[in-house]
Amino acid sequence: MTEIYASREAKQEFSSAEVVGSMPHSSARYTGSLEDTTKYLLKHLRSGDVLLVLSAGDADQISAEVLKRL
């Protein structure tokens, strides 16, 4: 999960790191920036994995960059 960036709504009183920290799933990761997330994915994705990027902003850059570099 990258950091949460507000668009039209008010800034939230929590961070993505806090959201991930409260998740019970041990595979949940906070990766911070789009660039750091792309680097993490390129290092950890394996053949047969499915990458799903959910975004209302510019995080589609992640999937485009991962696809380009695989």
Side-chain angles (χ1 to χ4, degrees), residues 4-56:
I4 299 168
Y5 299 100
S7 59
R8 289 180 232 145
E9 67 277 0
K11 182 169 176 6
Q12 301 297 315
E13 297 300 320
F14 56 87
S15 71
S16 295
E18 292 172 309
V19 171
V20 170
S22 70
M23 291 179 174
H25 200 291
S26 63
S27 294
R29 297 283 182 268
Y30 170 75
T31 51
S33 71
L34 300 179
E35 181 179 345
D36 289 342
T37 301
T38 300
K39 288 178 185 176
Y40 177 87
L41 290 168
L42 287 168
K43 183 176 180 180
H44 291 90
L45 284 173
R46 300 292 176 248
S47 179
D49 287 350
V50 174
L51 172 61
L52 174 64
V53 177
L54 303 175
S55 171

